[in-house]
Amino acid sequence: MYLADHTWPELGDRLEDSSTAIVPLGSTEQHGPHLPLATDHLIAEGLATAAAEETGLPRTPTVDIGVSPHHRQFPGTLWVDPPEFRDYVESFTRNLAYHGIDRVVYVNAHGGNVDHLREVGRRLHEDGTMYAVEWMWDESIPELVDDLFAQNGPHAGPKETAMITHLAPDLVRPEEFEAARDGGLPDLEDSDTMVHGARTFYDAVDNSANGAFGDPTDVTPEKAERLFEAAADQLVQLLEWLEAREFEALMPEPRVE
């Protein structure tokens, strides 16, 4: 159920019966020469929509600009600073609590959001408002990702290329796949990301001239469908697990005496 498609009287009845909300979050940032800037928020929204349809749980509108300053050198990339992002997400999550929601799954498709969403979840958990958990789609199916693609990458690589191939194939530039690989960083081991124990880079462009990591050339529609369906199934299972928990069991344990 997409919350914003309904009237308030309809939602008054529906929200009384639901304790869990699905919140998709992504980014608007460069994804190499072959994928749109919308990649992350399209993936988050696609998975959240599939899970909402399967479970009947409410899905909120998508947060489509995230913490992306490390991609700022590439034209079109948009970002917000971490404190503002955390405060914004926390504020509207508390709105959901006002309407009776006591647990949230942040369906996240941007690595730069991860730590900040976990911090928001910690704040909400600590004061007993609700249980909010961050879920990153590729972390739910790591073995499948590794099985499908020989050279994965954390950004604009085959796994994200596959997801957009499934969700919005008209936005993918297959003719740029080789350029993405050859002008980017197909193998992370070729980058000196750590020197004497120190992380030596701050921005994506420090490691990849065109912003792509990994090799998207072995993406196929069949692999893309398999990847999407597997991730969507993991999300549905997480939501069902969360729905089955008693709220008190999700809240902080009492002080140890």
Side-chain angles (χ1 to χ4, degrees), residues 101-135:
I101 298 296
D102 64 13
R103 59 204 79 182
V104 160
V105 172
Y106 294 127
V107 177
N108 179 38
H110 173 50
N113 294 341
V114 171
D115 290 343
H116 309 294
L117 292 173
R118 289 177 178 170
E119 170 60 18
V120 170
R122 187 195 64 77
R123 294 179 188 176
L124 296 166
H125 184 254
E126 191 172 73
D127 66 17
T129 299
M130 68 164 57
Y131 185 84
V133 63
E134 184 267 346
W135 179 82

Side-chain angles (χ1 to χ4, degrees), residues 13-31:
D13 293 337
R14 297 289 292 273
L15 292 180
E16 287 181 357
D17 298 327
S18 178
S19 60
T20 304
I22 306 167
V23 179
L25 306 98
S27 68
T28 299
E29 63 182 27
Q30 73 82 19
H31 275 78

Side-chain angles (χ1 to χ4, degrees), residues 30-35 71 74 153-158 160-161 176-177 179-188 204-205 207-216:
Q30 73 82 19
H31 275 78
H34 61 302
L35 294 178
H71 294 291
F74 296 93
H155 181 79
E160 290 187 323
T161 302
E176 297 291 339
F177 283 2
R181 177 195 64 198
D182 298 340
L185 183 68
D187 191 340
L188 289 181
V205 73
N207 287 316
S208 174
N210 67 10
F213 297 78
D215 180 3

